[in-house]
Amino acid sequence: MSGITARYWREIPRRYRGEAVKSVKTGKVYFPSRLVEPGNGNRKFKPVKLEYSGELLTFTIIRIAPRGFEKQGPYALGIIELDGGGRITTQIVDVPLEEVKIGMRVRVEFRKISDDGDEGIHLYGYKVVPER
Amino acid sequence: MAQEGKIGIVGYGSYIPRYRIKLEEIAKVWGADAGAYKRGLMLYEKSVPAPDQDVITMSVEAARRAVVRADIDPARIGALYIGSESHPYAVKPSGTVVAEALGATPDCRCADFEFACKAGTEAMFVAYSEVKAGVVTYAMGIGADTSQGAPGDALEYSASAGAAAFLLGKKDVLATVDFTAAFMTDTPDFWRREHAFYPSHGSRFTGDPAYFKHTLGAGRKLFEVSKTKPEDFRFAVFHQPNGKFPSRAAELLGFNKKQYETGLLSPWLGNTYSGASPMGLTAILDVAKPGDRIFMVSFGSGAGSDGFVFTVTDAIKGKAKMAPQTRPQLDENKFYLDYGQYAKFRGKILMAGGS
């Protein structure tokens, strides 16, 4: 066990439910949430939930996976522009790697990200799958 | 046992993983006769969860779909119960994760249920009862499993993965719960001791004294309390550990194939344990019309059965299309695994340095 439990718990609202903020000034969605908007110093935001569909902006294939993800490799990791605004970086799963394409439509699913060793907690969050 | 009322299902959802393994692929490894399983048990292939899926993740997806169909604010869900025999934790609820992901916390009752394959319908019954008692406005009952069969055991051909979620309430009910029945005894036909990775079972003993006695027992009781006959129902759905048992139980109770085939998913899905008859019910609700009556009997080893009589209302119109439907999830976009990939996905390979 690594002691990740408290950090993971603090991130539950965004990892489980996609809680984000929208700038009252520019209408831009920030995920993870920000306290100050870059470029204009705005501090007024309203809470929003991310829309769970979007488009793949770019991706890479991870062939040498980091610790805790060794058995998952090779896997696709991408940046997704969500329909209601906001971007997420996450794994693209349930798809053969050769079918991952920039511009593909995806939707967010709830998945297990990793385990904290053999006796620690299960860490859950979001990944994307092709829209079917 | 008998209840009349306007309480019932206000939203439903199912989730089936995309991965599959064919019976031939498993039989090949163990030198078994795949043809005998296909003919004898009416099983062709089964779903396999991806390595990043478990009861919690599938329950979240099924429950989100139920909330979409119900079109309510999830904060109003006052209770959430998941029935499963493969909860990811031995100690720590699955339901808290699911409720948090839905946005139902903190005003929400929660506990995980376990009763082999019957835990899902028991979760539905408790959710229904709490709404009926007026304790909560909405309650969620979920049946989900990612069950394991020991390598080479008969159960390895059927143990599969899936989840079905039902939101119970009293406003805009799409299928009313008209009657319920329960039939339960202590029958050790299937079990898993603590720390055992795979379950054990009583082989042929799981048939007559367990599955059929309880399924038929609850089914007959349900006819009695509801004063109905098989011909009063458009659909009937039963616990489906394979294709053969539910077909035989249906026919012994007087139903014909047309009545039970819509809810019979196991030949191509496998046995989703706590999810089995609930998933069959979602496939029925996807195609049901106002006025249709549905007869449902679950079964869980240990052993017991829950029975429900539902009547579909006008509120069903347009609901199926609001979220992914069950049959297309079962029939489309499948990825077939070979046994090696399947063994890796299911953690059946002994790794160096632990899992």
XYZ file of all heavy atoms in Angstrom, chain B residues 94-130:
264
model
N -19.788 -1.712 -1.912
C -19.756 -1.320 -3.328
C -20.686 -0.128 -3.531
O -20.421 0.765 -4.341
C -20.264 -2.460 -4.224
O -19.496 -3.624 -4.062
N -21.801 -0.149 -2.793
C -22.869 0.822 -3.014
C -22.460 2.267 -2.772
O -22.981 3.174 -3.419
N -21.505 2.492 -1.853
C -21.086 3.873 -1.577
C -20.442 4.484 -2.819
O -20.669 5.651 -3.133
C -20.089 3.912 -0.404
O -19.041 2.975 -0.666
C -20.761 3.572 0.908
N -19.640 3.691 -3.529
C -18.979 4.190 -4.746
C -20.043 4.531 -5.791
O -20.006 5.584 -6.425
C -17.998 3.140 -5.320
C -17.280 3.704 -6.544
C -16.992 2.686 -4.275
N -20.998 3.618 -5.945
C -22.029 3.809 -6.965
C -22.895 5.027 -6.637
O -23.167 5.864 -7.503
C -22.893 2.531 -7.120
C -24.006 2.747 -8.129
C -22.013 1.357 -7.537
N -23.286 5.162 -5.378
C -24.118 6.299 -4.964
C -23.365 7.611 -5.162
O -23.931 8.612 -5.614
C -24.539 6.141 -3.499
N -22.075 7.601 -4.848
C -21.242 8.799 -5.007
C -21.122 9.159 -6.501
O -21.213 10.330 -6.879
C -19.862 8.528 -4.406
C -19.019 9.745 -4.150
C -19.412 10.521 -2.890
O -19.380 9.953 -1.780
O -19.754 11.706 -3.041
N -20.922 8.144 -7.339
C -20.792 8.399 -8.780
C -22.098 8.922 -9.380
O -22.083 9.695 -10.339
C -20.347 7.122 -9.496
N -23.226 8.495 -8.823
C -24.524 8.970 -9.328
C -24.833 10.379 -8.840
O -25.625 11.094 -9.456
C -25.655 8.052 -8.843
C -25.741 6.653 -9.407
C -26.903 5.909 -8.764
C -25.906 6.677 -10.917
N -24.245 10.744 -7.694
C -24.605 12.013 -7.067
C -25.784 11.839 -6.116
O -26.578 12.750 -5.926
N -25.900 10.660 -5.509
C -27.010 10.386 -4.586
C -26.635 10.654 -3.137
O -27.513 10.708 -2.274
C -27.468 8.938 -4.735
N -25.362 10.827 -2.856
C -24.920 11.052 -1.467
C -25.166 12.507 -1.057
O -25.224 13.367 -1.928
C -23.408 10.761 -1.345
O -22.717 11.533 -2.341
C -23.106 9.297 -1.550
N -25.267 12.843 0.221
C -25.159 11.960 1.384
C -26.508 11.475 1.936
O -26.523 10.674 2.856
C -24.479 12.864 2.413
C -25.054 14.225 2.108
C -25.253 14.272 0.622
N -27.631 11.965 1.390
C -28.931 11.577 1.969
C -29.397 10.254 1.364
O -30.367 10.219 0.601
C -29.970 12.684 1.724
C -29.548 13.989 2.370
O -29.038 13.933 3.500
O -29.708 15.052 1.747
N -28.697 9.184 1.679
C -28.960 7.914 1.006
C -28.622 6.746 1.921
O -27.549 6.713 2.522
C -28.101 7.855 -0.266
S -28.460 6.482 -1.341
N -29.560 5.801 2.029
C -29.294 4.571 2.787
C -28.543 3.621 1.868
O -28.741 3.629 0.651
C -30.599 3.903 3.213
C -31.563 4.811 3.937
C -32.672 4.006 4.553
N -32.119 3.153 5.581
C -31.888 3.557 6.829
N -32.172 4.773 7.198
N -31.374 2.737 7.708
N -27.711 2.752 2.445
C -26.906 1.887 1.585
C -26.398 0.674 2.342
O -26.008 0.780 3.513
C -25.725 2.695 1.043
S -24.660 1.778 -0.048
N -26.423 -0.483 1.684
C -25.756 -1.688 2.177
C -25.621 -2.614 0.984
O -26.412 -2.529 0.042
C -26.559 -2.358 3.285
N -24.621 -3.465 1.025
C -24.469 -4.450 -0.058
C -25.179 -5.738 0.329
O -25.150 -6.138 1.491
C -22.990 -4.750 -0.304
C -22.269 -3.591 -0.950
O -22.937 -2.613 -1.318
O -21.044 -3.680 -1.091
N -25.785 -6.384 -0.655
C -26.476 -7.647 -0.417
C -25.697 -8.810 -1.022
O -25.038 -8.641 -2.041
C -27.868 -7.629 -1.068
C -28.858 -6.756 -0.365
C -28.477 -5.900 0.647
C -30.201 -6.791 -0.724
C -29.396 -5.089 1.292
C -31.131 -5.986 -0.095
C -30.736 -5.132 0.914
N -25.848 -9.979 -0.378
C -25.250 -11.189 -0.935
C -26.203 -12.351 -0.687
O -26.644 -12.575 0.443
C -23.887 -11.452 -0.283
C -23.057 -12.524 -0.958
C -23.442 -13.921 -0.514
O -23.757 -14.106 0.675
O -23.455 -14.831 -1.364
N -26.605 -13.019 -1.745
C -27.391 -14.254 -1.651
C -27.191 -14.965 -2.986
O -28.114 -15.047 -3.797
C -28.882 -13.953 -1.414
C -29.712 -15.171 -1.039
C -30.704 -15.081 -0.069
C -29.514 -16.404 -1.648
C -31.483 -16.194 0.285
C -30.270 -17.509 -1.310
C -31.265 -17.404 -0.350
N -25.956 -15.434 -3.225
C -25.604 -16.059 -4.502
C -26.278 -15.279 -5.635
O -26.118 -14.081 -5.721
C -25.954 -17.534 -4.496
N -27.077 -15.963 -6.467
C -27.650 -15.281 -7.640
C -28.950 -14.536 -7.332
O -29.560 -13.957 -8.217
C -27.902 -16.281 -8.763
S -26.438 -17.172 -9.260
N -29.435 -14.595 -6.096
C -30.720 -13.975 -5.765
C -30.560 -12.573 -5.186
O -31.550 -11.844 -4.999
C -31.463 -14.862 -4.753
C -32.889 -14.430 -4.448
C -33.552 -15.394 -3.484
C -33.374 -15.000 -2.040
N -34.272 -13.948 -1.580
N -29.332 -12.158 -4.925
C -29.110 -10.892 -4.216
C -29.666 -9.689 -4.988
O -30.118 -8.718 -4.384
C -27.618 -10.714 -3.941
N -29.642 -9.770 -6.317
C -30.132 -8.646 -7.122
C -31.630 -8.428 -6.953
O -32.093 -7.296 -6.769
N -32.415 -9.513 -7.000
C -33.866 -9.350 -6.859
C -34.233 -9.001 -5.423
O -35.228 -8.322 -5.176
C -34.646 -10.602 -7.310
O -34.112 -11.741 -6.639
C -34.546 -10.785 -8.823
N -33.416 -9.449 -4.464
C -33.674 -9.067 -3.071
C -33.432 -7.564 -2.911
O -34.196 -6.872 -2.227
C -32.778 -9.876 -2.130
C -33.221 -9.847 -0.685
C -34.616 -10.426 -0.450
O -34.903 -11.524 -0.962
O -35.428 -9.764 0.221
N -32.375 -7.048 -3.578
C -32.107 -5.601 -3.551
C -33.299 -4.849 -4.155
O -33.730 -3.812 -3.631
C -30.827 -5.283 -4.322
N -33.867 -5.386 -5.245
C -35.043 -4.766 -5.871
C -36.229 -4.783 -4.914
O -36.976 -3.808 -4.809
C -35.423 -5.516 -7.156
C -34.453 -5.335 -8.307
S -34.729 -6.554 -9.621
C -36.354 -6.087 -10.209
N -36.404 -5.935 -4.227
C -37.553 -6.062 -3.324
C -37.449 -5.076 -2.157
O -38.431 -4.436 -1.780
C -37.661 -7.505 -2.797
C -38.768 -7.673 -1.802
C -40.083 -7.799 -2.238
C -38.515 -7.672 -0.443
C -41.121 -7.928 -1.319
C -39.547 -7.798 0.481
C -40.856 -7.928 0.033
N -36.255 -4.947 -1.600
C -36.075 -4.031 -0.465
C -36.271 -2.581 -0.925
O -36.911 -1.779 -0.244
C -34.697 -4.247 0.209
C -34.444 -3.193 1.274
C -34.635 -5.643 0.831
N -35.739 -2.271 -2.124
C -35.927 -0.916 -2.666
C -37.422 -0.632 -2.829
O -37.932 0.420 -2.425
C -35.197 -0.785 -4.004
N -38.128 -1.602 -3.406
C -39.582 -1.479 -3.595
C -40.291 -1.292 -2.255
O -41.151 -0.417 -2.090
C -40.095 -2.732 -4.318
C -41.564 -2.983 -4.173
C -42.497 -2.167 -4.822
C -42.027 -4.037 -3.383
C -43.857 -2.389 -4.670
C -43.385 -4.268 -3.235
C -44.293 -3.436 -3.870
O -45.635 -3.654 -3.725
N -39.907 -2.122 -1.263
C -40.582 -2.094 0.042
C -40.380 -0.762 0.762
O -41.280 -0.270 1.436
C -40.056 -3.224 0.929
O -40.293 -4.458 0.299
N -39.190 -0.180 0.603
C -38.931 1.097 1.281
C -39.738 2.233 0.648
O -40.196 3.135 1.342
C -37.430 1.403 1.277
C -36.688 0.450 2.189
C -35.220 0.778 2.372
O -34.725 1.718 1.735
O -34.584 0.055 3.154
